[in-house]
Structures are given as C-alpha cells and as structure tokens.
C-alpha cells in the first residue's frame, strides 16, 4: 500500500475545504454588505478600527515574515458602520500581506482630508500591472492567479472594500508599480453619507 498517496490526498482535501470555507465566508460577507446598504452608522474612533484590523492580521503577517506598522491617527472620529469599515480595512491589510515578500513592511495610516477620512494601506510587495488596475475591484478578479492559489485568495476582498466605500458615500483607489508595491486609499466622509 502506498501511504504517501493517502497523505497527499488528505492534504489536498483539507486545502480544498479551507479554500471553499474562505470563499463561502467572503461571499456571505459581500452579500451582507450589499444587502445591508448603509448599515448602522455611529460615531466611532478611527484608531479602534485600525488597531483591531492590525490585531486580526498580526500572526499571519509574522508567519510570512511581513511587518505590520500602524501610524497612530490620534483622536480622529468618523460616522460609519464600524463592522463594514473594519471589514474593508481588514481586507486591504490581508491583500497587502499576501502580496508582500518576506521582509516587507505593510503600513496602515489615517488622515483627515477636508471632510473625508482617508485610510491608507501601503505595502512594498509585488505591485499591480498597469493593465489590471481598472479591474482589481471586480468580483473574483485576480491579478496573479498562481499566487492567489498559493495564499488562498478568493478574489472577493477588494469587491468588499469597494461596496463598503460605496455604502458610505466614499471611494477606494490604488496607486501601484510592479516590483515596488501598492498604496490603497479608502476615503469615507467624516459625517456619513
């Protein structure tokens, strides 16, 4: 009997189950955000959202040799659906970590620009080709399919971010260069939409 084939088959089944579970979780999250519309808006301290998002991804980042840095935003407040904005920021961090190389840094910051909160997630990763920049916020669109398979990406994270921005009357944008990294900017009106 060849036991190695049983082990490989078992590992493959576990991997398929984990990826399926992630896809289902992301689809449910996207559906909740789409159907929930604006959600429950309240005044929320920005630093609490950013800190929780960093905590959610710290272990994963450490396991792949990526450092997470949070620039203290100070006492900023925003009127938003806390869970939706937390989901958006978490998805941006998740992508930044997945597409960074060992030894890279992912920096999270927030500033006020006129009447908007701007949350930026910057990485030193592989960057995004110019030809893909217009499509990355589409459902299931993946720039690097091989890396997505390796990291377990579902292709839904940036679609979730876009819907959260829309639900808040805001925008999401990206600046990127191949081989140099990306900066994603989530803009949300301070007083809600």
């Amino acid at each position: 009997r060849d036991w190695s084939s049983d082990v490989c088959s078992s590992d493959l089944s576990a991997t398929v189950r984990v990826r399926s579970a992630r896809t289902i979780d992301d689809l449910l999250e996207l559906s909740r955000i789409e159907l929930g519309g604006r959600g429950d808006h309240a005044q929320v301290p920005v630093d609490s959202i950013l800190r929780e998002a960093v905590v959610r991804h710290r272990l994963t980042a450490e396991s792949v040799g990526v450092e997470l840095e949070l620039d203290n935003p100070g006492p900023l407040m925003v009127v938003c659906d806390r869970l939706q904005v937390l989901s958006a920021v978490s998805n941006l961090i998740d992508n930044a970590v997945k597409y960074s190389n060992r030894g890279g840094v992912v920096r999270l910051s927030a500033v006020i620009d006129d009447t908007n909160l701007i949350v930026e997630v910057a990485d030193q990763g592989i960057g995004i080709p110019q030809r893909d920049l217009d499509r990355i916020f589409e459902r299931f669109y993946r720039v690097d399919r091989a890396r997505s398979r390796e990291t377990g990406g579902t292709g839904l994270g940036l679609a979730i971010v876009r819907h959260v921005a829309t639900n808040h009357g805001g925008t999401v944008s990206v600046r990127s260069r191949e081989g140099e990294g990306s900066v994603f900017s989530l803009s949300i009106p301070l007083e809600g939409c």
Side-chain angles (χ1 to χ4, degrees), residues 23-106:
T23 302
I24 290 167
D25 287 346
D26 282 352
L27 282 168
L28 289 171
E29 177 74 2
L30 182 58
S31 178
R32 182 184 67 79
I33 288 169
E34 285 178 335
L35 295 175
R38 289 192 62 237
D40 296 324
H41 281 54
Q43 194 168 44
V44 179
V46 173
D47 69 323
S48 72
I49 295 173
L50 302 186
R51 288 182 200 291
E52 185 172 341
V54 168
V55 166
R56 285 184 177 190
H57 297 283
R58 186 156 318 274
L59 288 178
T60 302
E62 288 174 359
S63 73
V64 294
V66 173
E67 185 180 345
L68 287 180
E69 292 183 357
L70 172 58
D71 293 344
N72 185 350
L76 302 180
M77 300 292 283
V78 65
V79 175
C80 69
D81 180 308
R82 186 182 190 287
L83 291 177
Q84 285 191 23
V85 174
L86 176 60
S87 176
V89 173
S90 290
N91 274 295
L92 291 175
I93 294 172
D94 185 51
N95 268 8
V97 169
K98 283 179 181 171
Y99 291 97
S100 290
N101 297 316
R102 183 169 287 283
V105 175
V106 172

Side-chain angles (χ1 to χ4, degrees), residues 115-171:
T115 59
N116 296 308
L117 168 70
I118 311 289
V119 176
E120 288 196 340
V121 178
D123 66 60
Q124 304 164 333
I126 62 173
I128 302 166
Q130 193 70 30
R131 69 181 179 275
D132 294 307
L133 286 175
D134 290 339
R135 300 198 56 205
I136 61 171
F137 295 102
E138 296 174 10
R139 288 182 188 165
F140 300 112
Y141 189 79
R142 297 177 188 167
V143 173
D144 185 344
R145 293 186 187 282
R147 190 152 184 158
S148 290
R149 277 191 297 276
E150 180 183 308
T151 61
T154 63
L156 292 169
L158 292 178
I160 289 171
V161 175
R162 184 189 66 201
H163 278 286
V164 169
T166 300
N167 286 351
H168 286 79
T171 60

Side-chain angles (χ1 to χ4, degrees), residues 169-191:
T171 60
V172 62
S173 61
V174 61
R175 301 182 312 274
S176 187
R177 288 189 124 170
E178 279 187 274
E180 295 181 19
S182 304
V183 178
F184 283 85
S185 298
L186 175 64
S187 173
I188 297 173
L190 290 173
E191 298 301 325

